[in-house]
Amino acid sequence: MASALVLAAAVPAPAPDVSEPAVAAAEFLAHEFSRLGDGYPDPVSPGNTDAGLMADALLAMHRAGVEPAAQAKATAKLRAHFFSATIVSAGLTGKDLIVAVEQGVNPRQWGKDSKGDTIDLIARLGAAQGSAGAFEDTAVGGARTPANVFGQALALIGLHKAGIGNPAGKAVLLRQQCPGGGFRLNVPAGGETAQCASDTDASADTTAMGVWALVEIGGHRQQVARGLGWLRAHQDPATGAFSADPKTPAQVNTNSSGLAAMALALGGDGAAASRATGWLAAMQVPASVPVPAMAGAIAKSQTDLDAIALDAKAFWLKRSGADNVGKQDGVRRATAQALLGLSAAVPGPVPPRPPDNPPPGTVLPGTVPPGSPGRGAPGPGLPGGRHSGVPRTEPAGSAPPTAAEAPASGSAGPVPSARPVPSTTSPPDQVGQARALEPRPASFWAGPNGIAAAVLAGLLFAAGTFWLLVRRRGSRS
């Protein structure tokens, strides 16, 4: 029964049209997959791939319906990732299960673990669930601890997409909702049956994950409504963005805003979701950026976008600690989570920038209005075609189906793009320094040399004209 449901769920549904900012962000992620050999490097250990971030990007790209060929290659790379036979992350296993169903891969034959045994994602999650219903992470040495709300929610979403209900796990998730409607991060160790009693433990990220899971599972309209109410109460009134920590509301970021926007849209509040995605679109790096590989990416914050405006190359190549993918890794993470929101709700008007915070140097922040292309024509360092979708036509204030009316899957399948992203056969030794900085094709008259030549030509023309006029006057006298 479950196997039949898995196969049925693997059939992709038609993808809705998405806005141009969402398409541009998805193509940035697709280009990064291609540029880096179909996988993203681990920032702590650049020689290894970051399976969690790869899964995040695939979930977001699937919802945008962009570059299915790039998604297929990245999925194959993810399946070949090293999997320990003993160390288990419930959240990563849940994400892989969602990816498997959405990409049409049999989750019971996902790959091989370190012992050479076939990985059955569904069985792994079943074995990772404790007797009280909480999914658990297994560390080195075999110690098991309850997964946080991210892990619990992702495991439930994955199992639901595979056609498997899990009442015990759902009950644990419901107990993580605090009195004010938000969700706390951590399930108390040994206290899986304890209800959250303090609103101080709630955050935008965890509330978004709780709402997402409840909408996917279906029902629980009251709990979803309370979660949406908490998100609206903690949405920045000026920008529509979200901060990860409600105690620091001014520290808004695109990661939290993307998750919250998706949850608001899935729960039926299109107006609040569009306010958030309007800010996300304002954080998009435009196609005119001097580093072509960055075009379409979503900066994590206004500060990062300002730094890109001042010196995109320095920002892109800046290292973080001992690794060499610090800033690039952060941009990929921000884009993946922001894309979840951008794919769920058409961006509203770009919020105004605070008057006491003018953009430095070249004005990049907020200059790309929602719905305008985030990339130019493909060129070196910018492979891949544009998705044929157009901005969605419903007004920002219109509400999508409520949680009770929304489809159980809540996701859309990929649709063909104009041209798949080609694969990189040999990733560069220094991540981000090969192909990322390739210039766009330009004529001689483009750039500083062209400007100087044009000025010189103008001066020569003026001098020649003056000489001819003086000579003619002299000949008359």
Side-chain angles (χ1 to χ4, degrees):
M1 177 70 174
S3 297
L5 289 172
V6 166
L7 293 176
V11 179
D17 290 329
V18 296
S19 65
E20 285 295 326
V23 172
E27 288 189 346
F28 162 77
L29 294 173
H31 171 258
E32 284 295 275
F33 272 132
S34 173
R35 184 175 69 84
L36 300 171
D38 301 320
Y40 294 156
D42 188 323
V44 178
S45 179
N48 298 318
T49 54
D50 190 326
L53 178 56
M54 290 174 63
D56 288 343
L58 284 167
L59 295 180
M61 290 171 65
H62 174 79
R63 280 155 179 75
V66 170
E67 303 292 2
Q71 292 183 47
K73 291 179 180 179
T75 300
K77 181 95 170 188
L78 182 60
R79 295 178 67 192
H81 174 76
F82 172 81
F83 288 91
S84 171
T86 55
I87 302 173
V88 177
S89 165
L92 179 57
T93 306
K95 279 196 281 190
D96 286 343
L97 180 52
I98 301 172
V99 171
V101 174
E102 292 182 343
Q103 297 294 329
V105 176
N106 186 347
R108 296 192 180 276
Q109 297 178 0
W110 177 246
K112 299 290 184 179
D113 64 19
S114 57
K115 290 184 177 179
D117 296 331
T118 299
I119 297 173
D120 183 335
L121 296 173
I122 296 174
R124 270 206 168 198
L125 280 178
Q129 191 169 25
S131 58
F135 292 94
E136 299 174 341
D137 297 330
T138 303
V140 178
R144 291 172 57 133
T145 55
N148 59 26
V149 164
F150 275 78
Q152 190 78 15
L154 289 166
L156 288 171
I157 294 170
L159 289 172
H160 176 77
K161 285 183 176 292
I164 300 173
N166 195 290
K170 180 175 61 174
V172 170
L173 178 64
L174 288 170
R175 285 193 289 269
Q176 308 320 306
Q177 190 168 31
C178 305
F183 282 73
R184 65 184 171 190
L185 175 61
N186 293 313
V187 178
E192 291 87 346
T193 60
Q195 180 72 41
C196 177
S198 174
D199 290 327
T200 60
D201 296 333
S203 73
D205 298 63
T206 52
T207 302
M209 293 301 300
V211 170
W212 179 16
L214 293 180
V215 171
E216 290 277 359
I217 295 170
H220 304 288
R221 180 178 299 182
Q222 181 180 0
Q223 289 86 348
V224 169
R226 290 174 58 219
L228 296 178
W230 189 96
L231 288 173
R232 285 192 298 268
H234 292 82
Q235 187 171 22
D236 182 62
T239 65
F242 288 85
S243 169
D245 188 349
K247 293 185 288 293
T248 55
Q251 297 179 7
V252 296
N253 67 87
T254 53
N255 300 71
S256 301
S257 299
L259 289 176
M262 176 184 65
L264 287 165
L266 292 177
D269 194 336
S274 290
R275 290 187 60 235
T277 55
W279 182 77
L280 290 173
M283 294 297 105
Q284 188 161 47
V285 179
S288 59
V289 65
V291 182
M294 297 179 69
I298 307 294
K300 182 178 181 179
S301 64
Q302 185 72 62
T303 300
D304 279 1
L305 194 61
D306 288 345
I308 294 170
L310 282 175
D311 193 335
K313 180 178 178 180
F315 182 91
W316 188 241
L317 296 181
K318 184 175 182 179
R319 301 188 179 195
S320 174
D323 68 83
N324 66 339
V325 295
K327 288 298 182 182
Q328 296 175 35
D329 178 77
V331 171
R332 288 189 286 266
R333 290 180 192 279
T335 305
Q337 291 193 358
L339 180 56
L340 290 173
L342 285 169
S343 298
V346 61
V350 175
R353 182 172 177 134
D356 59 345
N357 187 19
T362 304
V363 182
L364 294 183
T367 58
V368 182
S372 64
R375 285 183 181 268
L382 192 60
R386 182 170 297 283
H387 177 265
S388 59
V390 296
R392 289 161 62 179
T393 56
E394 67 267 30
S398 64
T402 62
E405 299 168 345
S409 67
S411 65
V415 299
S417 64
R419 184 171 60 196
V421 175
S423 174
T424 302
T425 56
S426 56
D429 294 332
Q430 294 297 317
V431 176
Q433 297 189 29
R435 293 180 46 168
L437 300 176
E438 291 176 0
R440 296 177 183 272
S443 68
F444 172 78
W445 301 102
N449 291 333
I451 294 174
V455 171
L456 180 60
L459 291 174
L460 290 174
F461 177 78
T465 302
F466 177 77
W467 181 79
L468 288 174
L469 290 173
V470 171
R471 183 177 181 184
R472 290 182 63 184
R473 288 178 180 175
S475 62
R476 288 178 182 177
S477 61

